[in-house]
Amino acid sequence: MTQNAMTPAQCRAARAILKWSMARLAKKSGISSRTIYLFEGSVDGSTGIRDTTISILIETFRIAGVTFVRDDDSVSVRLAANPAHEDPARQASFVFTAAIGGVSAA
């Protein structure tokens, strides 16, 4: 897992702040509930989940208005006052290409 990647705790917190179930995150991201379950259940994210899978989850949360902050002393999750999905001025068109395991701008 890359240094700037989301931690399992941040993933759980992001779902909580959005009031999303694992099933809802799975549907929105195209990542299986089982993969999300395995990632969130790990202490440090060392489940063998690909960085591209984590990137898709991060992008899914970003579109919903969540940002992740990680520094030497803490990790945190923030929700934007005007998430991209609610503010047309901030929207970007993204296509999740789950079949090839990546995210690309459309």
Side-chain angles (χ1 to χ4, degrees), residues 53-75:
T53 300
I54 304 300
S55 294
I56 291 168
L57 292 172
I58 290 169
E59 186 60 19
T60 301
F61 285 130
R62 188 201 67 77
I63 290 168
V66 173
T67 57
F68 301 96
V69 180
R70 187 176 189 174
D71 59 32
D72 293 336
D73 299 323
S74 66
V75 294

Side-chain angles (χ1 to χ4, degrees), residues 22 32-42 47 49:
M22 276 189 201
S32 74
S33 293
R34 177 77 176 149
T35 298
I36 295 165
Y37 172 82
L38 290 172
F39 175 68
E40 287 188 357
S42 67
T47 59
I49 294 172

Side-chain angles (χ1 to χ4, degrees), residues 19 62 85 88:
K19 298 180 179 149
R62 188 201 67 77
H85 72 280

